[in-house]
Amino acid sequence: MNVWLNEIWQAWRANLRRPGFLLLASGVLALGIGASVAVFTLIDQVLLKPLPVQQASQLVMLGRMPGNGKVDSASPMQYQALAGMDGVRSMGLTEPFQVANIAGGGPPLQVPALYIDRHLLPTLGVKPQLGHNFDEREDSPGGAKVVMLSHGFWERRFGGNPDVIGKSLAVEGAAHTVVGVLPAGFALFGSDSDIVLPIALPKASRSDVPNYFIVARLADHASMASVGAETNARLHRLYADTGASYWNKMRFGAQRYGDWLHAGRRPVLLLFVASALFVLLIALVNLTNLMLLRSLSRNHDAAVRSALGAPLLRLVWPALGEGLLVGFGGALLGMLLAVIGLAVLQQFIPVEWLRGGHVGVGAAAWGLAFAIGLLGALLAAALGLWRSRSATTVDELREGGRGGMGAHSGRLGRVLVVAQVALAVTLLCAAGVIARALFNASQRPLGFASANMQTFDLSPVKASYPDAASVQALSQRLVQRLRAIPGVSGATVTTNLPTSADFFGEFNNMMHTASGQRFAAQYHAVGPGFFKLFSIPLHAGRQFTRNDVRGGEAVAIVSQNLADTQYGGRALGKLVNLEGSGSAVWPARIVGVVGDTWQTGTLQPKQPVVYVPLAQMPAPVLALFRNYSPIRFAMRGHGNAADWRAGLHQALAEVAPGQPIANLRSMHSIVRQTTADARLSLLLIGLFASLALLLAAAGLYAVMAVAVAAREREFGVRMALGATPSRLVGSVLRGGLLQIAAGLVLGVGMAQVVTRLLRALIEQLGHDAFDPLTLAGVC
């Protein structure tokens, strides 16, 4: 045993005394390990980390499935129709992503709110940390006004005081009793809500507004497929006699809660996984090439020791020991690169991806790094030994002498250079096409101006502003007061900003033309001067005026893409009808056509938009909107924005004392948030492509070094026979370029297959999957 340990120690000491090879090999391996560990950590954080609920695999979402495979929202009537289904142990209802004004325990605030029924927490397997869940009396129409607090809000607002139970908190101007505090880490649908309120549905609700989500827990041994089929059958029976053709054509079903939660993130993350695996594979091929180069230096020594009677293990043990040292060093250096990379990437990763607000490198990541490092290095060393197995024969001594290797030495190296080039071309072509598409998308004009603009959210307290008229009057007074702030050149009010990454940034609704053609569009109510303030161009017709008020003719302005797709480019004077609950329809005459804006960022298609004057927004629609979203105010000016903020608080104190606001920020920051996904994807794709290029360059050097060293004796003989150095260089270049050309041809073919697989993603970004310019640049 001491003999084998001594062999390992001698190999390690030789590497540490002359660490050039050790640093090069460990560095190449570390690049692949760092990329793999960083992506694995993201995957673990977003997709693999257990959800903070009991037996999450049993949780499913129930509702309509509009065609993209993801369960969508449902209505209270649908929820009650599914009660008592076979295969479902329990079922709860939630109305998420709302906002509310609170007062008590501190200054007035506008906070995110969540509505649930009393069955949701037991379905999730969640118990309040303090107090109790809503009971039947509290979760009924006319019941006691109660509220539960999130763990974070309880600590921030009440300092974690356990005596908070029974205290009063004003919600929308009405006193609510605190009955519970939720446990830390509870975040339904991946987002935190500061307060939780009861839905209080009537026992036989006739509400068919699909703004709710149904969460169910499967019974033991029940299948999701059978529950989904029963959901579809029950809801079709519900609408069989109502004549609701829209619902009768809809498919209903079930989806795993975890899959539903991560549906939008999975494709992007899997793309990153594929890129990281390519980088790792290139790194391992690289390492194998370096080990082949290393075996070259040992061939004559191994042949001599073999001729003197050394056993096989004594010959291979130094190489395996060196592989252990390279693998260990590569794993440590790779983890360092991964930690640094994740610290940088965290600035670009969307907050909702991060449970706990940060990305942590756990024990699984360390295990993965050392498994890749040690196994990869040992495998590379073993391949090097296998390739150089002839070094232990007398033939090697006779053929190679001290200076070179046998005639068969470079075969595996030549195969590996073709593989190296092919892999690098494949990754670089796919990354190049996607990166170019992402860059083009990130550079697209959003259709409006955002410079020198501040925005904030206001959700009028319902007790003080109970109806549409009072909300619209408040908005008008506040806009007039904002325009009087020194340095402010313009201000406006809107239900939705021209772009936003927030859930509240969209307000989709079904519309139909006068001929009855139905379509979905964004529905935005705006104040006077909205289009001028945001520099959204008017293509035809007129803008809204102060004469467009309640009681006058209902008017609308539509975006250019809506005018083109629904009205054939001739929208002026036509009617557009907003569909409400039941049979309610609010028609408006189109008086203008404006330029398109990228409502949800340039990675998504442009969405059609219908604009109406805020003064004409139907009262039921405004009441529904207020449940889910605040009203946005925007002001543009010059000078110091901090002075505007001081003027804003003074204006608000004069117009609406005690009214809280939220999200005071620049429009530029909102644009950056909207384009964050594009920047993150572009950054990671560019990083993977750069790693592939770096590894390919190092790998080609190693392979060519092996090839030249293998022919050293041949070169000596040819020079002795009169060959000039230029002819020798030419022969090396010809051989190397032939291998590279073969790798390019193979890589281009593989790249075409990969880009075809990614065609849907690339074309969604507005780019052709076949990009000859990128292909030529990579080659």
Side-chain angles (χ1 to χ4, degrees):
M1 187 65 180
N2 289 335
V3 174
W4 313 128
L5 293 177
N6 184 63
E7 291 284 353
I8 293 177
W9 169 245
Q10 293 298 330
W12 286 15
R13 188 172 69 171
N15 275 276
L16 293 172
R17 290 176 64 183
R18 302 182 66 180
F21 173 79
L22 176 63
L23 293 176
L24 178 60
S26 298
V28 166
L29 183 59
L31 290 175
I33 290 176
S36 302
V37 169
V39 171
F40 168 78
T41 303
L42 284 178
I43 293 290
D44 180 59
Q45 180 82 11
V46 178
L47 299 182
L48 304 180
K49 191 175 181 179
L51 297 170
V53 293
Q54 294 180 8
Q55 296 178 306
S57 60
Q58 293 182 341
L59 293 178
V60 296
M61 304 295 295
L62 304 179
R64 56 193 175 120
M65 305 187 76
N68 58 3
K70 182 179 179 180
V71 166
D72 209 336
S73 54
S75 70
M77 189 167 67
Q78 294 167 0
Y79 170 65
Q80 292 178 341
L82 297 177
M85 241 190 339
D86 292 337
V88 173
R89 181 184 303 171
S90 62
M91 188 168 57
L93 188 69
T94 178
E95 192 179 16
F97 313 123
Q98 301 203 36
V99 292
N101 295 292
I102 62 146
L109 288 178
Q110 183 186 122
V111 297
L114 174 72
Y115 282 79
I116 65 173
D117 73 348
R118 63 185 180 278
H119 304 296
L120 182 70
L121 292 184
T123 297
L124 296 174
V126 174
K127 295 181 179 180
Q129 178 176 329
L130 297 176
H132 64 81
N133 182 28
F134 302 134
D135 58 31
E136 184 175 3
R137 180 181 57 84
E138 295 163 345
D139 187 30
S140 299
K145 293 187 180 298
V146 293
V147 62
M148 284 192 285
L149 311 178
S150 73
H151 189 273
F153 182 73
W154 168 57
E155 290 185 329
R156 294 193 308 271
R157 188 76 170 185
F158 296 95
N161 184 0
D163 296 332
V164 70
I165 303 299
K167 292 186 178 298
S168 179
L169 185 71
V171 181
E172 295 297 343
H176 286 61
T177 302
V178 178
V179 297
V181 175
L182 293 170
F186 176 78
L188 188 63
F189 302 161
S191 61
D192 294 322
S193 296
D194 287 340
I195 62 172
V196 180
L197 301 159
I199 291 180
L201 286 181
K203 291 186 177 180
S205 175
R206 302 305 300 169
S207 172
D208 211 17
V209 177
N211 291 323
Y212 300 76
F213 291 90
I214 302 172
V215 185
R217 182 173 291 277
L218 299 179
D220 293 336
H221 312 301
S223 71
M224 186 180 69
S226 62
V227 170
E230 178 65 14
T231 299
N232 191 52
R234 280 206 182 196
L235 294 182
H236 277 163
R237 286 198 299 268
L238 173 66
Y239 294 109
D241 300 326
T242 63
S245 58
Y246 172 74
W247 289 115
N248 283 327
K249 295 177 182 177
M250 182 66 67
R251 184 169 68 93
F252 302 90
Q255 184 180 16
R256 296 283 180 193
Y257 172 68
D259 294 340
W260 181 90
L261 188 64
H262 304 309
R265 308 164 191 167
R266 191 180 300 272
V268 175
L269 289 172
L270 293 182
L271 176 63
F272 295 159
V273 170
S275 300
L277 289 177
F278 262 94
V279 169
L280 177 61
L281 188 56
I282 294 173
L284 292 177
V285 172
N286 238 339
L287 183 63
T288 302
N289 290 334
L290 291 172
M291 288 298 190
L292 289 175
L293 179 62
R294 192 65 163 174
S295 69
L296 172 63
S297 65
R298 289 200 186 93
N299 278 353
H300 186 71
D301 177 65
V304 171
R305 297 180 68 186
S306 177
L308 294 176
L312 181 62
L313 280 179
R314 291 288 299 272
L315 299 179
V316 304
W317 210 248
L320 295 178
E322 186 176 66
L324 286 174
L325 184 61
V326 169
F328 189 79
L332 285 178
L333 185 56
M335 286 301 297
L336 177 62
L337 294 177
V339 170
I340 294 173
L342 287 171
V344 175
L345 289 178
Q346 189 164 324
Q347 311 303 316
F348 300 90
I349 298 172
V351 176
E352 60 271 17
W353 289 23
L354 306 179
R355 299 184 211 169
H358 68 281
V359 181
V361 178
W366 282 96
L368 178 66
F370 280 98
I372 294 175
L374 296 177
L375 292 178
L378 288 175
L379 181 60
L383 284 173
L385 289 169
W386 171 77
R387 202 272 305 158
S388 61
R389 63 192 183 283
S390 60
T392 61
T393 68
V394 176
D395 290 339
E396 178 67 25
L397 290 174
R398 182 178 63 250
E399 186 180 310
R402 284 185 181 276
M405 293 185 62
H408 306 291
S409 302
R411 288 181 179 176
L412 183 58
R414 288 191 290 271
V415 172
L416 287 174
V417 73
V418 173
Q420 173 96 15
V421 174
L423 289 171
V425 168
T426 302
L427 178 58
L428 287 169
C429 282
V433 172
I434 295 175
R436 194 169 174 208
L438 286 168
F439 179 78
N440 291 341
S442 67
Q443 298 302 306
R444 289 178 189 140
L446 292 175
F448 63 93
S450 61
N452 302 319
M453 186 174 292
Q454 296 286 316
T455 70
F456 64 91
D457 298 345
L458 182 145
S459 183
V461 176
K462 293 176 182 176
S464 304
Y465 306 95
D467 53 24
S470 60
V471 171
Q472 290 159 349
L474 169 65
S475 302
Q476 184 178 3
R477 293 196 307 271
L478 185 54
V479 167
Q480 291 175 347
R481 181 61 181 83
L482 292 176
R483 290 172 179 166
I485 296 175
V488 173
S489 58
T492 192
V493 59
T494 177
T495 54
N496 302 81
L497 295 170
T499 190
S500 176
D502 298 336
F503 175 83
F504 301 123
E506 301 180 66
F507 188 35
N508 283 299
N509 213 90
M510 293 306 299
M511 312 276 181
H512 68 259
T513 63
S515 61
Q517 183 176 353
R518 302 178 79 247
F519 61 93
Q522 293 283 306
Y523 183 78
H524 295 181
V526 301
F530 172 84
F531 300 106
K532 180 180 178 181
L533 188 74
F534 284 97
S535 300
I536 299 175
L538 179 68
H539 290 175
R542 67 173 179 86
Q543 296 188 10
F544 297 136
T545 68
R546 297 188 181 278
N547 296 325
D548 297 321
V549 295
R550 189 178 301 278
E553 181 187 24
V555 295
I557 293 175
V558 298
S559 60
Q560 184 67 58
N561 63 346
L562 189 150
D564 293 340
T565 56
Q566 303 300 329
Y567 296 94
R570 299 180 178 86
L572 289 181
K574 304 291 179 62
L575 288 178
V576 59
N577 300 281
L578 170 67
E579 297 182 4
S581 59
S583 59
V585 173
W586 290 279
R589 187 166 303 280
I590 299 174
V591 297
V593 178
V594 296
D596 298 324
T597 61
W598 296 87
Q599 177 67 33
T600 54
T602 54
L603 294 188
Q604 303 296 328
K606 291 179 182 178
Q607 293 181 300
V609 185
V610 174
Y611 301 94
V612 301
L614 181 62
Q616 291 187 345
M617 190 176 188
V621 180
L622 180 56
L624 177 64
F625 175 85
R626 292 179 67 189
N627 288 335
Y628 298 96
S629 182
I631 296 173
R632 270 74 181 206
F633 290 81
M635 48 187 182
R636 184 190 297 277
H638 53 82
N640 190 354
D643 295 336
W644 304 359
R645 297 189 183 100
L648 163 63
H649 290 292
Q650 181 179 352
L652 193 65
E654 295 174 6
V655 175
Q659 170 69 55
I661 62 171
N663 296 325
L664 178 57
R665 52 187 174 170
S666 69
M667 193 66 205
H668 178 68
S669 67
I670 296 174
V671 170
R672 285 189 57 82
Q673 183 184 5
T674 305
T675 56
D677 286 352
R679 294 199 312 277
L680 173 63
S681 300
L682 186 60
L683 175 66
L684 287 176
I685 291 295
L687 177 62
F688 289 135
S690 300
L691 288 175
L693 189 60
L694 177 63
L695 289 169
L700 288 176
Y701 163 76
V703 170
M704 295 311 299
V706 170
V708 172
R711 300 176 63 186
E712 185 175 342
R713 184 171 180 271
E714 174 197 342
F715 293 156
V717 172
R718 293 178 64 181
M719 289 186 70
L721 295 176
T724 63
S726 61
R727 290 190 62 184
L728 298 180
V729 170
S731 68
V732 171
L733 290 178
R734 281 193 299 273
L737 289 175
L738 284 175
Q739 297 168 48
I740 293 173
L744 288 177
V745 172
L746 182 59
V748 168
M750 294 169 59
Q752 293 304 305
V753 174
V754 172
T755 52
R756 285 181 184 276
L757 295 175
L758 299 173
R759 180 182 297 274
L761 171 63
I762 296 170
E763 292 181 350
Q764 178 182 314
L765 298 174
H767 196 76
D768 192 349
F770 178 70
D771 188 346
L773 183 61
T774 299
L775 188 65
V778 167
C779 290

